[in-house]
Amino acid sequence: MMEAPTNTLMITGPSPGIGKSFVAANLAAVCAQAGQRVLVIDADMRKGHMHSIFDERSECGLSDYLAGKKSLEDITRPVSALETLSYVARGIAPPNPSELLMSTRFQEFLATVSERFDLVIIDSPPILAVTDAAVIGKHVGTTLLVTRFEVNAPKEVEVSLKRLAASGIVVKGGILNAMERKAAGAYGENYGYYNYSYK
């Protein structure tokens, strides 16, 4: 992130169920333990579950703020175990998450939290399921791609990078999650073209 224009970091991945939220929450906790003021945002307004990691409810979150129903103070929740860590839940699932993310209110939200925190980590929906990650990625300083061992095929990673690149987003790094030591050749090459449903 040293050359990034802002202190905002998006974490995305090809498909659901690969541990993006786990990675985002743990990265946020590690940085907060190091003394940084960190905000982690659940920007998956359809199916995000960051609130469950902190053992709370999804209501009163990002979607409610973007719809003009809640203030920034209402949706920013401190984490009791770490005083320098806060998070924003997804809020009530809206009918139009992509439109909310394309609004100027979302851009203003990112600009405001970027000034108030040392690091802002955004957990986005998977790029092969919906377009939200491409929308969010245009407004963040850095993008990382999470993939899961023996779940995401190399072709999926390639397609994910192309979809992000088509929106002008350069992925600065990758995280291979849930790595296991296995004998060579155990990971087959029988993959098709991937498009995930996300309803």
Side-chain angles (χ1 to χ4, degrees):
M1 293 181 70
M2 291 183 72
E3 296 174 3
T6 70
N7 60 346
T8 52
L9 167 67
M10 179 177 76
I11 294 182
T12 190
S15 59
I18 58 171
K20 280 187 303 79
S21 300
F22 173 82
V23 169
N26 279 278
L27 177 60
V30 167
C31 294
Q33 285 170 343
Q36 288 187 297
R37 291 169 300 133
V38 183
L39 178 67
V40 61
I41 301 165
D42 189 346
D44 186 346
M45 292 180 278
R46 292 174 174 86
K47 299 180 77 171
H49 59 272
M50 184 70 68
H51 58 278
S52 61
I53 293 173
F54 297 110
D55 200 25
E56 290 201 31
R57 297 168 64 91
S58 64
E59 290 82 1
C60 191
L62 182 61
S63 66
D64 307 294
Y65 174 82
L66 295 179
K69 296 175 182 174
K70 297 286 180 182
S71 70
L72 186 56
E73 287 67 31
D74 290 335
I75 66 166
T76 307
R77 307 180 196 184
V79 175
S80 56
L82 276 169
E83 63 179 47
T84 55
L85 177 60
S86 300
Y87 84 102
V88 172
R90 73 172 194 233
I92 295 169
N96 58 341
S98 296
E99 287 176 35
L100 290 176
L101 291 170
M102 286 188 259
S103 68
T104 54
R105 193 164 168 84
F106 179 65
Q107 295 174 48
E108 290 162 2
F109 164 74
L110 285 184
T112 302
V113 295
S114 178
E115 289 175 3
R116 294 188 185 183
F117 293 88
D118 299 318
L119 176 63
V120 178
I121 298 173
I122 302 152
D123 179 23
S124 89
I127 185 64
L128 296 185
V130 288
T131 60
D132 297 8
V135 175
I136 297 165
K138 292 177 181 177
H139 306 294
V140 300
T142 307
T143 297
L144 295 179
L145 188 74
V146 174
T147 56
R148 191 174 183 96
F149 181 71
E150 287 201 338
V151 172
N152 299 121
K155 185 67 178 174
E156 286 183 75
V157 178
E158 191 180 314
V159 174
S160 298
L161 293 171
K162 284 180 180 174
R163 285 211 186 159
L164 290 163
S167 296
I169 300 156
V170 177
V171 175
K172 292 290 187 176
I175 300 164
L176 180 58
N177 193 23
M179 182 71 182
E180 295 176 27
R181 292 187 82 132
K182 293 206 172 187
Y187 197 19
E189 286 292 331
N190 187 19
Y191 308 115
Y193 188 80
Y194 294 86
N195 253 326
Y196 289 89
S197 63
Y198 206 62
K199 297 173 183 172

